[in-house]
Amino acid sequence: MNLVRTSLIAACAIAAPLAMAQNTGKLKVGLMLPYTGTYAALGTAIENGFRLYVTEQGGKIGGREIEYVKVDDESDPSKATDNVNKLVKRDHVDVLVGSVHSGVAMAMAKVAKDTNTLMIVPNAGADAVTGSMCAPNIFRSSFTNWQPAYAMGEVAVKKGAKRAVTITHKYAAGDESVRGFREAFEKGGGQVMKDLSVPFPSVEFQALLTEIAALKPDVVYTFFAGGAAVKFVKDYAAAGLKKSIPLYGAGFLTDGTLDAQGADAADLLTTLHYADSLNTARDNAFRLAYAKTYKLQPDVYAVQGYDAAQILGIGTNAVKGDLNKKAEFAAAVEKTKIDSPRGPFMLSKSHNPVQDIYLRQVVGKENKMLSVASKALADPARGCKM
Ligand code: BEZ
């Protein structure tokens, strides 16, 4: 046996157990989420939901124990590429789970695509992630920014509104949310008089609230979430606008925020793929388990984290723990109905949930479901070539 062949055989003998160890050893989950700043509570709820599902499976996914590697991304897109590269190239995670902020998620998706790393987005709605950046290894358990916004545009038309003003944080999520609202609102004959915005994460709303009072629209449409949503709802009421101009929002405006918003949020109408009063056996069981584990009520972010873990479970079980089998992983996820607390849903070809969007109203400390505003709404996935 010549030297080259001997060393090749030796190398294979070493490589085989290593490869096996990769499929049977701990499954490394890179949680890249905000744990500080405006969206800190959202990151924590996503992690709670994710861990709850894993615990329900006995701590294993696809037969493999889970090891978490956590990064606080601070909702800062300028740090996102470095952060995600560390998870992929230094920590060698098997799957990226993140993030909340659309700008951060787009940076993550680029690295995931370039390195063919499995990625599951548990919140960020950036349309591009399952649009022009779509990829076989990228999945989303949440929504696109277009989905709840488009549904709210239709609601505003049905309520008879003709003239709207929009107000949001100036970044991808806010811009796309406003665009989705405008698309449906203008299709129904409405007119957006003015788009107002503040830079992310500023919460200096006063000058813009004065402008809204002067413009006197029939309705204001807004996208704010987390700490900014709390402040906006309180400022809107304090400015005396709540009595005169209905405030509509993508449901993030009142999700996970009601304790802090108190009476200022009462009666607000929003659209989202989750509500607090679905009263299905599936959701009731989830809510009870979450409340018992964390001594907290769940919100939409917790549901999305839980469903991100479900997606990972479906794919990983199908490939018996071998995450190198990306095509088989994707095929299994694509054909499975996900048994979500929000109601069952399937992923579209671009890997975004096709889901009911609920019209909700704040009643006490709940986002009460009034109706299904849009049944099985699929994002148009513009630019996705998959
Ligand atoms: C986003 O940046 O996509 C986002 C952030 C918070 C709530 C919803 C969407």
Side-chain angles (χ1 to χ4, degrees):
M1 204 180 282
N2 71 30
L3 195 59
V4 175
R5 187 140 177 259
T6 314
S7 46
L8 255 178
I9 290 168
C12 290
I14 295 165
L18 260 183
M20 272 171 57
Q22 273 174 8
N23 301 334
T24 54
K26 285 194 176 168
L27 193 160
K28 268 194 176 184
V29 175
L31 288 179
M32 188 161 147
L33 294 167
Y35 295 103
T36 52
T38 301
Y39 292 160
L42 288 60
T44 301
I46 288 168
E47 179 177 345
N48 287 348
F50 194 98
R51 285 181 183 266
L52 178 61
Y53 183 76
V54 172
T55 304
E56 287 175 359
Q57 308 312 303
K60 287 187 177 177
I61 294 281
R64 295 172 66 178
E65 273 175 38
I66 302 292
E67 179 181 337
Y68 295 98
V69 185
K70 286 173 53 168
V71 173
D72 176 7
D73 67 36
E74 304 166 52
S75 295
D76 186 346
S78 74
K79 298 181 182 161
T81 302
D82 277 355
N83 280 333
V84 70
N85 270 325
K86 278 184 204 147
L87 286 173
V88 172
K89 294 177 183 157
R90 183 194 64 192
D91 301 322
H92 302 290
V93 299
D94 295 293
V95 56
L96 292 164
V97 175
S99 185
V100 166
H101 184 287
S102 276
V104 173
M106 283 192 281
M108 291 178 75
K110 174 153 188 353
V111 172
K113 207 169 166 169
D114 290 350
T115 58
N116 196 25
T117 306
L118 190 60
M119 172 170 171
I120 305 174
V121 182
N123 182 70
D127 294 348
V129 166
T130 51
S132 57
M133 302 176 81
C134 74
N137 57 310
I138 299 178
F139 303 83
R140 178 149 49 196
S141 64
S142 51
F143 59 91
T144 61
N145 291 316
W146 180 91
Q147 282 177 306
Y150 187 86
M152 190 40 114
E154 291 185 328
V155 169
V157 169
K158 280 193 196 128
K159 296 248 175 228
K162 296 276 181 264
R163 296 152 70 251
V165 167
T166 69
I167 179 164
T168 185
H169 268 143
K170 183 84 200 137
Y171 79 103
D175 291 345
E176 290 171 356
S177 186
V178 162
R179 229 179 284 143
F181 174 82
R182 177 195 294 274
E183 190 181 326
F185 190 58
E186 293 191 344
K187 203 187 270 178
Q191 186 214 339
V192 174
M193 303 165 70
K194 190 147 193 190
D195 293 325
L196 302 172
S197 62
V198 289
F200 181 87
S202 164
V203 288
E204 293 306 316
F205 301 127
Q206 216 46 56
L208 300 183
L209 293 173
T210 306
E211 202 174 339
I212 290 172
L215 285 164
K216 294 192 177 49
D218 298 332
V219 65
V220 169
Y221 173 75
T222 189
F223 166 90
F224 288 110
V230 172
K231 172 93 171 19
F232 184 76
V233 163
K234 293 192 93 49
D235 285 4
Y236 196 83
L241 291 172
K242 190 166 178 235
K243 285 183 258 125
S244 51
I245 308 173
L247 176 63
Y248 293 171
F252 316 105
L253 187 69
T254 56
D255 230 88
T257 54
L258 291 177
D259 281 341
Q261 287 164 334
D264 291 337
D267 304 326
L268 289 183
L269 290 178
T270 61
T271 42
L272 203 63
H273 47 287
Y274 189 58
D276 295 316
S277 60
L278 295 179
N279 201 19
T280 58
R282 181 69 179 103
D283 191 44
N284 290 345
F286 166 75
R287 293 183 75 86
L288 186 64
Y290 192 93
K292 269 192 184 163
T293 308
Y294 301 111
K295 316 288 174 246
L296 283 171
Q297 288 304 313
D299 54 23
V300 70
Y301 310 106
V303 171
Q304 293 166 173
Y306 188 85
D307 291 342
Q310 288 211 70
I311 289 173
L312 182 63
I314 290 161
T316 309
N317 283 332
V319 297
K320 299 195 173 45
D322 183 356
L323 291 179
N324 296 314
K325 295 184 175 164
K326 298 243 169 21
E328 289 97 317
F329 181 104
V333 173
E334 282 164 13
K335 68 168 193 252
T336 304
K337 193 174 267 184
I338 294 151
D339 188 17
S340 171
R342 77 188 79 170
F345 70 87
M346 308 240 339
L347 292 188
S348 65
K349 265 179 68 187
S350 66
H351 294 171
N352 188 66
V354 177
Q355 56 194 339
D356 293 351
I357 306 291
Y358 304 110
L359 175 62
R360 309 117 39 96
Q361 182 161 41
V362 176
V363 178
K365 291 287 170 63
E366 285 204 333
N367 285 289
K368 192 170 179 297
M369 198 260 270
L370 297 183
S371 61
V372 175
S374 199
K375 184 89 197 139
L377 186 64
D379 179 82
R382 293 172 179 131
C384 174
K385 302 206 174 53
M386 199 162 63

